[in-house]
């Protein structure tokens, strides 16, 4: 099938949940590669407690080592101001002129909040959106979000998807519901474990953990102020 996937996030830090998300979607859709794209200045999150962009990139590089179809995309680090996905994906389109639209992957919590993003509801113009559920049973979140964001895209009565489903949106563009397994961990959970001096084994790769420990002082100073998100 081919195609490029993009998984955007703050990645503070990247963890095995993100990596599995990227691997599962890549395999389910037969993608050529997935770019993990850290945001430089998150519009929705305060920057207190956020590791510097360069260190989050270094952690990402360690996390994808040995997985040839996963790449790290530093595009948002080149753009100034808040890292709005709309702007980033337009810049992506400019740099990849003539290529098919990328697949922009997101968890259900991010998809359901798209209407709060800068030009969030226009994103299907620049990417094929892919929603991955939290527990495999978020088909109703998918349908409810589509009904409210892009009215007229779904018939009034239709079954909630149990398996993969692609909806052609009324205004153009497409969204896919892709129920792949998900590891129930988050960066918030990892930062809390780190703060209490607990082991991070099996939450991230050994290579990534080594990078984190090599920057232990900086990480502790930064995450001391991080609040749950
Ligand atoms: P935080 O706890 O700081 O919010 P996070 O673990 O949610 O961090 P983000 O950087 O906010 O990570 O998420 C980036 C993207 O990855 C989002 O689309 C989010 O829905 C998705 N994601 C986060 N955690 C997981 C997970 N465990 N499995 C699959 N996808 C995830
Ligand atoms: Mg999150």
């Amino acid at each position: 099938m081919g195609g490029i996937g993009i998984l955007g996030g703050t990645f503070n830090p990247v963890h095995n949940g993100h990596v599995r998300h990227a691997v599962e979607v890549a395999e389910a859709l037969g993608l050529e590669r997935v770019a993990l794209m850290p945001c430089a200045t998150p519009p929705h999150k305060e920057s207190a407690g956020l590791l510097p962009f360069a260190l989050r990139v270094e952690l990402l590089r360690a996390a994808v080592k040995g997985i040839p179809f996963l790449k790290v995309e530093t595009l948002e680090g080149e753009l100034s101001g808040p890292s709005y996905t709309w702007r980033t994906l337009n810049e992506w389109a400019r740099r990849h002129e003539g290529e098919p639209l990328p697949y922009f992957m997101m968890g259900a919590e991010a998809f359901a909040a798209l209407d709060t993003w800068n030009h969030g509801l226009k994103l299907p113009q620049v990417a094929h959106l892919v929603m991955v559920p939290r527990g495999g049973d978020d088909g109703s979140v998918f349908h409810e979000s589509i009904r409210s964001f892009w009215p007229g895209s779904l018939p009034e009565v239709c079954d909630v998807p149990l398996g993969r489903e692609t909806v052609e949106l009324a205004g153009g563009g497409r969204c896919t519901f892709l129920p792949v397994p998900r590891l129930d961990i988050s960066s918030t959970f990892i930062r809390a474990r780190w703060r209490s001096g607990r082991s991070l084994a099996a939450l991230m790769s050994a290579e990534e953990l080594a990078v984190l420990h090599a920057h232990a002082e900086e990480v502790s100073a930064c995450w001391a102020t991080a609040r749950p998100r």
Side-chain angles (χ1 to χ4, degrees), residues 25 50 154 167 219:
V25 173
L50 186 63
L154 282 170
V167 175
V219 171

Side-chain angles (χ1 to χ4, degrees), residues 10-11 15 18 21 45 107 109 182-183 185 187-188 191:
T10 38
F11 300 118
H15 52 68
H18 297 125
H21 177 147
K45 297 184 177 183
E109 68 277 23
R182 173 174 167 133
L183 298 181
I185 59 175
S187 303
T188 301
R191 294 191 298 269

Side-chain angles (χ1 to χ4, degrees), residues 39-227:
C39 65
T41 314
H44 290 285
K45 297 184 177 183
E46 29 174 314
S47 52
L50 186 63
L51 295 175
F53 182 74
L55 180 50
R56 285 180 289 128
V57 169
E58 197 181 336
L59 292 163
L60 275 155
R61 294 218 162 101
V64 303
K65 220 171 183 175
I67 314 173
F69 56 95
L70 298 190
K71 307 284 174 203
V72 181
E73 169 59 64
T74 56
L75 171 55
E76 292 195 337
E78 298 168 37
L79 307 172
S80 56
S83 303
Y84 294 125
T85 302
W86 168 248
R87 190 184 59 163
T88 309
L89 291 181
N90 274 287
E91 178 59 20
W92 174 284
R94 210 179 57 76
R95 294 183 185 195
H96 295 83
E97 219 184 312
E99 293 177 22
L101 291 189
Y103 292 82
F104 188 76
M105 309 145 41
M106 44 195 3
E109 68 277 23
F111 187 77
L114 260 186
D115 57 338
T116 66
W117 292 24
N118 182 269
H119 298 294
L121 303 188
K122 295 200 300 197
L123 288 182
Q125 293 176 18
V126 285
H128 180 146
L129 303 186
V130 178
M131 187 197 108
V132 171
R134 278 160 298 198
D137 55 354
D138 274 336
S140 52
V141 172
F142 181 68
H143 273 189
E144 278 159 25
S145 305
I146 289 187
R147 281 210 166 85
S148 106
F149 298 161
W150 302 284
S153 302
L154 282 170
E156 286 202 5
V157 183
C158 62
D159 290 336
V160 162
L162 296 173
R164 183 190 306 191
E165 180 182 278
T166 295
V167 175
E168 303 283 340
L169 302 177
R174 280 182 204 155
C175 290
T176 293
F177 174 69
L178 194 66
V180 291
R182 173 174 167 133
L183 298 181
D184 194 10
I185 59 175
S186 67
S187 303
T188 301
F189 173 82
I190 287 172
R191 294 191 298 269
R193 285 286 188 271
W194 174 273
R195 273 198 295 271
S196 39
R198 306 269 298 269
S199 167
L200 301 186
L203 295 170
M204 59 179 68
S205 73
E207 286 90 341
E208 186 189 351
L209 202 49
V211 175
L212 205 60
H213 280 293
H215 294 268
E217 242 176 75
E218 185 181 8
V219 171
S220 293
C222 187
W223 286 350
T225 56
R227 301 202 191 99

